Amino acid sequence: MIASAARIGTGIARTPRLTAPIAIAVVLLLAVLAQLVPWLDKWPDTLILPVRGWVTEFFAWFAATAKPVTRIIAWCLAQPLNLVEALLYRGIPAWKLPPLPWPVIVGAAAILGHWIGGRPLALLCGLASFYLAIFGLWPDAMQTLAIVIVTVPLAVIMGLLLGIWATRNARVERVLNAIFDVMQATPHMAYLGPVVILFGFGQVPAMLATLIFALPPMARCTILGIRTVPKEIIEAGQMSGCTPLQLLWKVELPAAERTLLLGLNQAVMQTLAMAVIASLVGASGLGQKLLFSLQQLQIGKAVEQGVAITLIAIVLDRMTQAYMRRLPERVAPHTPWLRRHRHLAIFCAVLVASIVLAQVLPALAVLPREMTLSYGGPINDGVRWISRNLFPYVKPVRDGITIWMLLPLRDFYLWLPWPVVIGAPALVGYFFGGWRLALLPIFLLGFLMITGFWTPLMLTLYLVTSTTVLCVLIGIPLGIWAARRPFAARVINTICDTLQTFPSFIYLIPVIMLFQTSDLSNVIAMLAYATVPAIRFTYLGLMRVPTTTLEAVTAAGATGWQRLRKVELPMAFPEILLGINQTIMMALAMVAITALIGSRDLGQEIYKALPGADTGRGLLAGLGIAFIGIIAERLIGAWAQRRKRELGMG
């Protein structure tokens, strides 16, 4: 949600005359009226609009009408993808050309890592690539990597161009920001339905869905980077006689390089995350294998494949981050070519040697199965041991939490009358932002109600609320601890970095191992994925409290607890709110993933829509998740803005 936080709460009106007691009284009145008037309790089925069918019919018509165009687009995307796949794992059988030997890819990863970040990164890249080969995951990993290699440059170029266009036209920027808000709040799987209708199943549709999902972060980083270039630099370029085009390419973009590289990092991570999820529409690779293993409860294989996906994510993340910090090399004039390009020379040597030796040693071309390793068997044995010995103890805990805590909360959400569900956030919006903000939940939640998604909406709210409360209870204390202890900060930040690198699929594996399928399993998987922002923003907010303020409070005789409760937490509250907002967004993103282990919410609606190409069902369910995120983002952002004004911070 890059740059969206900066826009939240803009246009906030003066504080309306509404107090908490009045708001509570209004909500209670709506609840009482719902018990007296049946249609205020549950929206009548006869008044539900068949929007889902209309959307499905529209996409079917559009797909038939635009088939020549979609075929051209698919052909254009297939060409670079086929080329990369031929190099990495397929070869060109018609010309009897094999793919690159696996030692070439391993060596290239290590050499590139050394060029970007030195020995530690070279070791990480080399060992991670070797893992893919030695554990028999090479073809699947190369299929996934091929999509990433082709998609990332396209996403970066398109995002860069859109970002530049937005900075040159305020109206375009407003439109793009509104579209990006919805796109980034919509879960991954919701992109797949329309793409399947238009392009079918396979690698190219998966790549297209991945491209659409990875484009907004790069565009938003481009906008942010260009907007934050100091005016002095721009004025210096103008005084030097630069034309607008020269000013852009020689001044603004170089000055925004760090932010643009951050966009590249985000595009890479989003591409990999989506490339895994795209296995649901027929994309081959590690994601498809992992999905099959999870469905078959083959936990050992799922762990091997999950580790492979995680290693690819870590390598790509560390490479892009190291490139952001990399300083240009300085070489003396007349330095020999080999010395100036030693990494390229070493790669060429590895390439030639591997191709020649692969003709003599077939194991260097394709590693035979008998030479690969596997630790899936011991893990399966461990899972069986856990199921046999530990699950009898885990099951009562799981069932107790589910029966006594989660199910009553679920039933409460399902009982809530629709005027209460819509009216409560509307009143909050009116309190913080006036009528404009109040109308947002009325329109968005009302749309979901009249289109027949009310029950999945309430089940989604139930899961997200449970997860968010737990994330806050865990994340804020950990953030406080990290702000108090430098060693704890290093450990916690390292763990947070690692958790944010994991693709969302990975969190399902330990949950299934320990808790099997249940509402508690869904909450725990979402909890592991969504706690990081609550920790990070709490830590960031506390660390930004001015030192002079802390010294003044300490000099006044305040204890550590008093200083935290009365000064630090109130001043860090706006950042903590933004952390809670990001926690909600990540929990919503995980909703579609937990559908794979049996949830019954909007994510399950998306998942069920894919096999039958029910585009309306999947797209509206995805928009429903996005609507929840947009409402939470606007309300929490308005609250944070008000708190900042009260503190004199903005």
Side-chain angles (χ1 to χ4, degrees):
M1 291 302 157
I2 296 168
S4 60
R7 300 190 323 280
I8 299 173
T10 56
I12 293 177
R14 64 181 181 84
T15 305
R17 299 176 62 86
L18 176 68
T19 61
I22 294 176
I24 293 172
V26 171
V27 171
L28 291 177
L29 178 62
L30 291 174
V32 172
L33 287 175
Q35 305 308 310
L36 302 176
V37 183
W39 68 270
L40 286 178
D41 183 26
K42 301 297 178 186
W43 186 258
D45 292 342
T46 54
L47 296 180
I48 291 177
L49 300 178
V51 178
R52 184 171 77 181
W54 297 343
V55 173
T56 301
E57 291 172 3
F58 168 77
F59 271 95
W61 169 82
F62 185 75
T65 305
K67 186 169 289 186
V69 177
T70 57
R71 284 180 177 175
I72 292 172
I73 294 173
W75 183 88
C76 292
L77 293 175
Q79 304 316 303
L81 183 62
N82 291 337
L83 176 61
V84 175
E85 288 180 344
L87 288 173
L88 292 182
Y89 74 93
R90 183 181 293 166
I92 307 178
W95 297 354
K96 297 182 180 180
L97 291 177
L100 291 174
W102 63 267
V104 173
I105 310 299
V106 174
I111 293 166
L112 183 60
H114 189 275
W115 178 67
I116 295 174
R119 289 183 182 178
L121 187 57
L123 190 63
L124 172 65
C125 296
L127 291 178
S129 303
F130 185 67
Y131 173 94
L132 304 176
I134 200 65
F135 285 97
L137 300 169
W138 191 259
D140 299 318
M142 292 303 102
Q143 288 177 336
T144 299
L145 190 61
I147 292 179
V148 175
I149 290 174
V150 176
T151 304
V152 168
L154 293 175
V156 168
I157 293 171
M158 293 176 64
L160 188 67
L161 294 176
L162 285 176
I164 293 171
W165 187 23
T167 59
R168 298 305 189 260
N169 189 314
R171 182 177 297 178
V172 170
E173 183 176 5
R174 288 194 297 271
V175 172
L176 286 179
N177 280 327
I179 294 173
F180 290 158
D181 280 346
V182 176
M183 289 177 67
Q184 292 191 292
T186 304
H188 307 54
M189 284 201 297
Y191 289 86
L192 302 180
V195 171
V196 167
I197 290 292
L198 296 174
F199 296 91
F201 289 82
Q203 297 289 90
V204 171
M207 190 180 75
L208 186 61
T210 304
L211 173 64
I212 296 171
F213 188 71
L215 190 150
M218 186 65 211
R220 283 199 144 150
C221 280
T222 302
I223 297 171
L224 179 64
I226 294 176
R227 292 287 188 216
T228 53
V229 173
K231 291 183 179 179
E232 296 82 6
I233 295 178
I234 296 176
E235 290 172 356
Q238 291 171 339
M239 292 176 63
S240 300
C242 290
T243 65
L245 187 60
Q246 290 173 330
L247 187 69
L248 173 66
W249 292 106
K250 296 187 177 182
V251 178
E252 292 179 287
L253 292 182
E257 181 181 8
R258 288 298 179 91
T259 308
L260 297 179
L261 289 174
L262 175 62
L264 170 64
N265 174 266
Q266 293 297 305
V268 168
M269 301 310 295
Q270 298 282 41
T271 298
L272 182 61
M274 190 65 181
V276 173
I277 293 172
S279 61
L280 294 170
V281 294
S284 303
L286 287 172
Q288 187 183 62
K289 296 292 184 182
L290 176 59
L291 178 62
F292 179 79
S293 298
L294 288 174
Q295 290 173 335
Q296 300 297 317
L297 293 180
Q298 298 175 357
I299 304 301
K301 289 184 178 180
V303 170
E304 288 183 349
Q305 294 149 1
V307 169
I309 295 171
T310 302
L311 287 175
I312 294 175
I314 290 174
V315 166
L316 295 175
D317 180 59
R318 297 299 184 269
M319 276 187 170
T320 50
Q321 288 194 27
Y323 192 76
M324 290 168 58
R325 299 187 297 267
R326 184 175 180 269
L327 298 175
E329 283 190 62
R330 303 293 181 185
V331 294
H334 309 299
T335 303
W337 187 91
L338 284 177
R339 230 175 133 183
R340 283 187 287 117
H341 303 283
R342 59 185 182 277
H343 290 94
L344 179 59
I346 294 171
F347 170 72
C348 291
V350 171
L351 175 65
V352 173
S354 299
I355 292 175
V356 172
L357 291 175
Q359 306 301 316
V360 182
L361 300 173
L364 293 180
V366 179
L367 202 63
R369 182 176 294 274
E370 57 271 14
M371 294 181 66
T372 60
L373 305 176
S374 175
Y375 52 85
I379 289 179
N380 286 330
D381 294 339
V383 171
R384 283 192 288 268
W385 184 88
I386 290 173
S387 299
R388 187 170 55 251
N389 297 284
L390 295 184
F391 190 69
Y393 302 100
V394 173
K395 186 176 184 295
V397 176
R398 182 199 70 179
D399 294 344
I401 295 174
T402 302
I403 293 171
W404 296 105
M405 296 177 65
L406 294 180
L407 293 184
L409 182 62
R410 184 198 68 183
D411 294 340
F412 171 73
Y413 269 88
L414 292 175
W415 168 83
L416 284 173
W418 65 264
V420 173
V421 177
I422 296 177
L427 288 170
V428 173
Y430 180 74
F431 181 77
F432 286 120
W435 283 110
R436 184 177 179 182
L437 191 56
L439 291 175
L440 183 69
I442 293 175
F443 281 119
L444 297 187
L445 297 181
F447 175 79
L448 294 175
M449 179 181 67
I450 65 175
T451 53
F453 287 90
W454 189 253
T455 298
L457 169 67
M458 299 312 297
L459 291 173
T460 303
L461 290 174
Y462 142 69
L463 286 176
V464 172
T465 302
S466 306
T467 302
T468 303
V469 170
L470 290 174
C471 287
V472 169
L473 293 177
I474 295 171
I476 292 179
L478 287 177
I480 295 172
W481 186 30
R484 287 286 183 273
R485 298 285 185 270
F487 176 76
R490 288 194 296 271
V491 174
I492 291 173
N493 285 330
T494 300
I495 294 173
C496 288
D497 285 342
T498 305
L499 289 175
Q500 284 193 311
T501 306
F502 290 166
S504 48
F505 263 85
I506 305 304
Y507 294 93
L508 303 181
I509 298 174
V511 166
I512 293 176
M513 289 173 59
L514 292 174
F515 299 97
Q516 297 183 1
T517 56
S518 66
D519 281 4
L520 182 61
S521 303
N522 298 333
V523 170
I524 292 175
M526 294 164 66
L527 176 69
Y529 186 67
T531 306
V532 172
I535 299 172
R536 285 226 156 129
F537 278 83
T538 301
Y539 171 75
L540 179 64
L542 293 174
M543 296 303 291
R544 285 183 175 177
V545 176
T547 306
T548 53
T549 303
L550 298 178
E551 291 173 351
V553 173
T554 304
T559 64
W561 170 247
Q562 289 173 328
R563 188 178 69 177
L564 174 67
R565 184 169 58 88
K566 295 185 177 182
V567 178
E568 293 180 275
L569 285 179
M571 294 190 71
F573 191 61
E575 280 78 11
I576 294 173
L577 282 177
L578 293 178
I580 294 173
N581 174 59
Q582 291 301 306
T583 290
I584 293 172
M585 301 305 293
M586 294 183 72
L588 287 169
M590 197 66 183
V591 162
I593 306 302
T594 56
L596 300 174
I597 56 175
S599 63
R600 291 174 293 167
D601 46 25
L602 290 169
Q604 189 65 224
E605 294 294 309
I606 300 173
Y607 185 57
K608 289 180 178 178
L610 286 175
D614 191 350
T615 313
R617 182 181 187 181
L619 188 59
L620 292 181
L623 287 176
I625 295 174
F627 289 167
I628 298 171
I630 290 170
I631 293 168
E633 187 178 26
R634 296 295 187 269
L635 296 181
I636 294 175
W639 187 5
Q641 286 292 94
R642 167 178 283 196
R643 186 58 185 159
K644 283 183 178 180
R645 289 198 303 271
E646 291 171 351
L647 294 170
M649 299 167 61

